[in-house]
């Protein structure tokens, strides 16, 4: 296990341990998932016709369609997602997916708490923990597969797809512009699109070439996946030289900062738990009833100045950690 791993080195989540591969339709999906103590993050590619059985779990789930289209059913209600759309599935809600198109669909999925109730998953390379690193103990949720009759009954009605508070279209997902970068013309070098639920958020952040953040700290676990480009992530104890396809974690209350070492833009998929409130235009995917619930929200704080982080970067420059060793 390691705090840094590439997607190519991860197994398909649906063939680990005691997973029901038939119910999961595992022949038509390749989901690579990583997890920490509070949240899990996955990148999945499903083929045309992908149609797992209904499932339920005690974990809040967020999905974002990066490519293609996907039908998602929540308690029998149909939602049709296209590229750039996102949906939240509340904990303990029956749901299933269906790729009714003739093309593959790529989607991102985050879950809080992480879906690692199966001991084989917890013990696999999917855990973003260095050897000997402590981790939370206790029960974690797991997928429970349900009878196919629930999907058959809903799909037989052939209801048109619905809109509602659990879904946001690409056009309705606002862009937040962040400050807190170092250097000339730093403003606007980091933008993000963010959705959240009661327990966690999913964010897609774009950093322009040369972006260099100030050190910051937050009381939220952060897992990220490098969709595009290169990025260097620093903590007081490590320097991570991340390449496209890498997953990485920053534990709660660990100071960290980032540097884009090239002139090309960088796209980073992130999940935080609890909800990180730094995105001004973050979108709450909550039902009317849930909007009355309290949501734990944390914010970035700046522990050090520029001089201190430059000293740390100098220490790690010649021995950065990489997913290929």
């Amino acid at each position: 296990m390691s705090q840094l791993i590439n997607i190519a080195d991860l197994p398909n989540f649906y063939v680990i341990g005691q997973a029901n591969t038939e119910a999961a339709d595992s022949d038509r999906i390749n989901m690579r998932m990583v997890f920490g103590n509070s949240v899990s993050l996955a990148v999945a590619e499903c083929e045309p016709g992908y149609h797992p059985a209904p499932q339920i779990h005690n974990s809040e789930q967020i999905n974002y369609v990066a490519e293609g289209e996907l039908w998602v059913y929540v308690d029998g209600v149909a939602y049709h997602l296209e590229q750039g759309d996102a949906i939240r599935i509340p904990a303990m809600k029956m749901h299933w997916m269906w790729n009714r198109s003739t093309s593959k669909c790529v989607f991102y999925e985050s879950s809080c708490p992480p879906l690692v109730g199966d001991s084989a998953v917890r013990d696999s390379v999917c855990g973003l923990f260095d050897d000997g690193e402590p981790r939370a103990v206790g029960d974690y949720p797991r997928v429970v597969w349900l009878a196919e009759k629930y999907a058959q009954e809903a799909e037989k009605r052939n209801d048109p797809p619905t809109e509602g508070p659990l879904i946001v279209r690409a056009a309705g997902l606002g862009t937040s512009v962040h400050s807190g970068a170092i250097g000339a013309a730093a403003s606007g070098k980091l933008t993000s699109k963010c959705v959240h639920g009661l327990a966690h958020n999913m964010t897609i952040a774009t950093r322009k070439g040369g972006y260099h953040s100030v050190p910051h700290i937050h009381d939220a676990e952060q897992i990220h996946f490098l969709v595009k480009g290169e990025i260097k992530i620093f903590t007081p104890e490590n320097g991570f030289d991340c390449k496209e396809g890498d997953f990485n974690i920053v534990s709660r209350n660990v100071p960290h900062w980032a540097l884009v070492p090239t002139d090309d833009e960088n796209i980073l998929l992130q999940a935080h738990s609890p909800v990180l409130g730094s995105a001004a235009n973050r979108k709450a995917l909550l039902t009317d009833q849930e909007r009355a619930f309290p949501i734990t929200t944390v914010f970035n704080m700046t522990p050090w100045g520029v001089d201190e982080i430059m000293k740390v970067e100098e220490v790690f420059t010649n021995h950065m950690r990489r997913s290929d060793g």
Side-chain angles (χ1 to χ4, degrees), residues 98-113:
W98 186 8
N99 184 355
R100 297 169 62 173
S101 75
T102 58
S103 302
K104 73 175 182 180
C105 174
V106 177
F107 64 88
Y108 306 143
E109 181 171 301
S110 57
S111 299
C112 181

Side-chain angles (χ1 to χ4, degrees), residues 5 27 45 57 79 82 87 101 116 126-127 156 173 175 183 195 197 206 226 228 242 253-254 258 262 272 277 292:
I5 191 169
D27 288 341
E45 181 177 312
H57 48 70
Y79 299 87
E82 298 179 305
I87 190 170
S101 75
V116 292
C126 302
K156 186 177 181 180
L173 197 51
T175 298
V195 296
T206 301
L226 189 53
K228 176 184 176 182
C242 300
N253 295 313
V254 172
T262 69
H272 300 91

Side-chain angles (χ1 to χ4, degrees), residues 165 167-168 172-174 194-197 279-286 291:
I167 189 172
V168 61
L173 197 51
C194 177
V195 296
H196 72 88
N281 295 318
R282 62 191 185 276
K283 178 71 173 180
L285 302 182
L286 304 172
R291 289 182 182 276

Side-chain angles (χ1 to χ4, degrees), residues 64 175-178 186-194 203-209 211 225-228 230-231 260 264-270:
Y64 175 90
T175 298
S176 297
V177 180
H178 300 262
S187 179
K189 283 192 173 182
L190 170 60
T191 59
S192 71
K193 296 179 181 291
C194 177
T203 299
I204 298 175
T206 301
R207 293 165 172 81
K208 293 182 180 180
Y211 169 84
F225 172 75
L226 189 53
V227 178
K228 176 184 176 182
E230 301 175 33
I231 195 167
V260 178
D264 300 322
E265 76 172 12
N266 160 286
I267 299 177
L268 198 67
L269 172 69
Q270 299 171 298

Side-chain angles (χ1 to χ4, degrees), residues 219-281:
D219 191 21
E221 181 175 82
Q222 173 181 317
I223 293 180
H224 44 260
F225 172 75
L226 189 53
V227 178
K228 176 184 176 182
E230 301 175 33
I231 195 167
K232 297 179 185 291
I233 306 289
F234 293 93
T235 73
E237 302 296 331
N238 285 290
F240 298 97
D241 190 0
C242 300
K243 63 184 180 182
E244 194 168 303
D246 280 349
F247 288 94
N248 186 217
I249 189 170
V250 177
S251 299
R252 297 176 73 156
N253 295 313
V254 172
H256 58 285
W257 62 97
L259 167 66
V260 178
T262 69
D263 293 332
D264 300 322
E265 76 172 12
N266 160 286
I267 299 177
L268 198 67
L269 172 69
Q270 299 171 298
H272 300 91
S273 175
V275 174
L276 184 64
S278 59
N281 295 318

Side-chain angles (χ1 to χ4, degrees), residues 11-216:
N12 186 349
F13 172 74
Y14 285 114
V15 297
I16 302 175
Q18 302 301 313
N20 187 325
T21 57
E22 182 177 353
D25 199 8
S26 60
D27 288 341
R28 286 189 283 197
I29 185 170
N30 190 343
M31 175 179 281
R32 309 298 178 98
M33 185 197 80
V34 296
F35 65 91
N37 288 316
S38 301
V39 68
S40 57
L41 184 62
V43 177
E45 181 177 312
C46 63
E47 299 175 7
Y50 169 65
H51 193 299
Q55 62 175 262
I56 194 169
H57 48 70
N58 194 19
S59 183
E60 177 180 80
Q61 177 177 315
I62 295 175
N63 291 98
Y64 175 90
V65 175
E67 179 182 337
E69 59 182 280
L70 188 66
W71 287 70
V72 178
Y73 294 79
V74 183
D75 272 354
V77 177
Y79 299 87
H80 182 207
L81 280 71
E82 298 179 305
Q83 184 173 335
D85 298 341
I87 190 170
R88 170 179 166 266
I89 301 168
M92 297 307 294
K93 290 290 186 180
M94 177 182 65
H95 60 281
W96 67 95
M97 297 177 171
W98 186 8
N99 184 355
R100 297 169 62 173
S101 75
T102 58
S103 302
K104 73 175 182 180
C105 174
V106 177
F107 64 88
Y108 306 143
E109 181 171 301
S110 57
S111 299
C112 181
L115 285 172
V116 292
D118 189 324
S119 61
V121 176
R122 291 196 306 275
D123 295 338
S124 72
V125 296
C126 302
L128 291 177
F129 304 94
D130 286 339
D131 291 341
E133 186 179 0
R135 63 191 70 187
V137 296
D139 294 333
Y140 283 100
R142 64 191 305 163
V143 172
V144 177
W145 300 102
L146 304 175
E148 293 185 0
K149 68 176 183 178
Y150 299 111
Q152 294 167 351
E153 291 169 356
E155 292 169 8
K156 186 177 181 180
R157 296 194 304 266
N158 199 29
D159 296 333
T162 189
E163 301 295 322
L166 295 179
I167 189 172
V168 61
R169 299 297 177 189
L173 197 51
T175 298
S176 297
V177 180
H178 300 262
S179 59
I182 297 171
S187 179
K189 283 192 173 182
L190 170 60
T191 59
S192 71
K193 296 179 181 291
C194 177
V195 296
H196 72 88
L198 297 173
H200 80 297
N201 64 266
M202 179 189 287
T203 299
I204 298 175
T206 301
R207 293 165 172 81
K208 293 182 180 180
Y211 169 84
H212 195 308
S213 69
V214 298
H216 54 283

